[in-house]
């Protein structure tokens, strides 16, 4: 991503291996902390949804409890991202884990009514964008060359694996110890993550200082990044096609009911996550750096094209295969990872990654909501098909950006 301060990694650089990535001690620490974060966050969202539904009997309130962990991301990404570069990354990550610990303890203790619980989760979730940006921007400091690309793949696989396994494990945990008990366990994972970072991660200095307020600087740097044609094109190439594909997920529950297998909804969601996991693993391990860039175009198209098969209303097993192939296509982003790293100045790296993550989560949330809204007036199979077509069109619109660098 850099224009000036970083050395560009050659496209034809030697392929790295996952063994080499995990041989870096500080990466293992960062990955361990991230895994604890994912586990705790998955359990917290599920447990909070159960508590809210038990208290209100309202599916809408339960859904809001689940979404409360995601909605603040857009707010934090537009107001606070400058702090991802102005504060040392270890300080940011540990501070956020301590905040999450306190929130989990308050929720587990049952001290607040439901509206106050939702407000607390929303407000304290705003800094999540800064913590995520700090974590992602630290990767290039720990991993060089192709190891950095594989490190990004490992993080993506961890997120996908959590989606496949996390909700099942969270459900069993809640059944065993109850929702408040699960929240106490979430607090323990937060403390463990903070302790791991404090004891095993070295201090890394902040990337820049700032005299202006963090909010105004966030807006200024975001605008500056978006004004760069190369950065803007890479952001859109990583935002649009996956977000439009996610629009299909907004109606998967309804689709399963439409084909007479309502219990298969979990299978359909798991198929997407499993495909993402497999794509990052296989493309990251078996394809070299130059090959990943050459595969970016067909893999980006693979996000949407398989979903066109839903026009035939396939049975759940076949639908799961189509969704898994679609999820596999997310690996196209590995072909853009090095180029995005080289496209922005090092002093703005944290905010650039934060902008990428903020746009990703915001657009995917909006697309899922739009898919659900469209499902109110159209058959779920048609909505999935339209989402696939829109994703494919978005990939074609970014065709030049997705082409390999000379």
């Amino acid at each position: 991503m850099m224009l000036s301060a970083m050395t560009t990694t050659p496209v034809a650089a030697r392929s790295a291996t996952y063994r080499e990535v995990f041989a870096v001690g500080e990466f293992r620490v960062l990955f361990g902390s991230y895994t604890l974060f994912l586990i705790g966050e998955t359990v917290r969202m599920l447990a909070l949804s159960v508590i809210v539904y038990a208290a209100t009997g309202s599916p809408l309130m339960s859904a809001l409890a689940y979404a409360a962990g995601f909605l603040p991301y857009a707010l934090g990404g537009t107001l606070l991202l400058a702090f991802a570069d102005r504060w040392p990354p270890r300080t940011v990550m540990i501070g956020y884990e301590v905040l999450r610990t306190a929130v989990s303890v308050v929720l587990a203790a049952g001290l607040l009514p439901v509206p106050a619980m939702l407000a607390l989760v929303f407000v304290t979730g705003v800094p999540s964008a800064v913590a995520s940006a700090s974590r992602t921007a630290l990767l290039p400091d720990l991993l060089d060359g192709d190891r950095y690309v594989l490190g990004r793949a490992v993080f993506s696989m961890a997120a996908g694996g959590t989606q496949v396994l996390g909700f099942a494990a969270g459900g069993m945990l809640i059944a065993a110890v109850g929702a408040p008990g699960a929240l106490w366990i979430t607090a323990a994972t937060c403390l463990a993550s903070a302790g791991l970072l404090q004891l095993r991660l070295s201090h890394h200095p902040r990337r820049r200082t700032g005299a202006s307020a963090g909010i105004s600087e966030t807006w200024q740097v975001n605008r500056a990044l978006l004004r760069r044609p190369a950065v803007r094109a890479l952001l859109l190439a990583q935002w649009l096609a996956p977000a439009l594909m996610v629009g299909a997920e907004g109606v998967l529950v309804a689709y399963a009911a439409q084909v007479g297998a309502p219990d298969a909804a979990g299978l359909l969601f798991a198929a997407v996550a499993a495909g993402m996991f497999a794509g990052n693993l296989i493309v990251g391990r078996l394809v070299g750096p130059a090959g990943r860039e050459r595969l970016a175009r067909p893999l980006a198209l693979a996000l949407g094209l398989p979903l066109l098969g839903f026009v035939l209303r396939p049975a759940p097993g076949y639908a799961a295969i189509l969704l898994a192939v679609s999820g596999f296509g997310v690996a196209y982003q590995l072909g853009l990872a090095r180029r995005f790293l080289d496209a922005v100045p090092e002093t703005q790296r944290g905010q650039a990654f934060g902008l990428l993550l903020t746009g990703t989560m915001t657009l995917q949330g909006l697309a899922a909501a739009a898919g659900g809204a469209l499902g109110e007036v159209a058959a779920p199979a048609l909505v999935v098909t339209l989402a696939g077509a829109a994703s494919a069109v978005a990939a074609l619109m970014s065709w030049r950006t997705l082409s390999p660098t000379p």
Side-chain angles (χ1 to χ4, degrees), residues 53-205:
Y53 185 75
T56 65
S58 168
L60 174 60
M61 293 297 291
S62 179
L64 288 176
Y66 180 80
F70 293 103
L71 297 177
Y73 207 100
L75 186 60
T78 55
L79 299 179
L80 303 177
L81 277 182
F83 293 107
D85 292 311
R86 285 171 56 169
W87 289 344
R90 188 177 70 168
T91 301
V92 172
M93 290 185 288
I94 292 175
Y96 186 56
E97 292 295 352
V98 171
L99 177 63
R100 292 178 63 236
T101 302
V103 171
S104 298
V105 168
V106 172
L107 295 176
L111 301 175
L112 301 174
V114 167
M117 292 170 67
L118 297 181
L120 176 67
V121 171
F122 183 90
V123 172
T124 56
V126 172
S128 61
V130 182
S132 296
S134 295
R135 183 188 303 113
T136 307
L138 186 57
L139 276 180
D141 294 339
L142 306 179
L143 303 171
D144 59 352
D146 196 46
R147 293 192 300 175
Y148 160 71
V149 178
L150 292 195
R152 289 285 303 274
V154 167
F155 272 44
S156 296
M157 286 188 286
T162 300
Q163 292 180 51
V164 174
L165 302 175
F167 289 114
M172 291 187 291
L173 186 63
I174 291 172
V177 301
L183 287 170
W184 285 112
I185 293 174
T186 294
T189 65
C190 297
L191 282 178
S193 177
L196 181 63
L197 293 169
Q198 176 65 37
L199 296 175
R200 301 297 301 275
L201 187 67
S202 299
H203 171 75
H204 293 262

Side-chain angles (χ1 to χ4, degrees), residues 156-374:
S156 296
M157 286 188 286
T162 300
Q163 292 180 51
V164 174
L165 302 175
F167 289 114
M172 291 187 291
L173 186 63
I174 291 172
V177 301
L183 287 170
W184 285 112
I185 293 174
T186 294
T189 65
C190 297
L191 282 178
S193 177
L196 181 63
L197 293 169
Q198 176 65 37
L199 296 175
R200 301 297 301 275
L201 187 67
S202 299
H203 171 75
H204 293 262
R206 58 186 177 180
R207 292 182 178 84
R208 70 173 185 266
T209 59
S212 60
I215 294 176
S216 61
E217 185 178 352
T218 297
W219 279 93
Q220 292 167 6
V221 175
N222 280 349
R223 287 198 300 268
L225 289 168
L226 290 170
R227 286 194 189 107
R228 296 174 180 264
V231 174
R232 185 172 61 249
L234 286 166
L235 286 170
L236 291 173
Q238 294 176 88
W239 281 343
L240 295 181
L244 291 166
M245 181 268 281
V246 168
E249 297 186 18
V251 294
L252 289 185
V253 172
Y255 179 80
Q258 181 189 32
V259 296
D263 293 339
L267 169 66
L268 300 183
F269 281 107
V272 179
M276 292 171 57
F277 184 93
N280 280 283
L281 176 65
I282 294 171
V283 176
R285 180 62 186 92
L286 301 182
V287 182
R292 292 187 210 116
E293 292 200 6
R294 288 194 298 270
L295 284 175
R297 283 175 164 180
L299 286 173
L301 279 177
L303 286 168
L305 290 182
L307 301 184
L308 301 182
F310 275 76
V311 73
L312 302 176
R313 293 181 57 182
Y318 293 110
I321 293 173
L322 294 174
L323 290 166
V325 174
S326 176
F328 191 97
V330 173
Y332 86 95
Q333 294 186 342
L334 295 180
L336 303 180
R338 179 198 61 84
R339 292 168 56 193
F340 190 66
L341 180 63
D342 291 343
V344 300
E346 184 177 5
T347 56
Q348 298 174 350
R349 181 193 296 166
Q351 186 156 343
F353 278 117
L355 182 60
L356 172 61
L357 293 169
T358 298
T360 295
M361 294 192 70
T362 302
L363 290 175
Q364 290 187 4
L366 291 174
L374 185 58

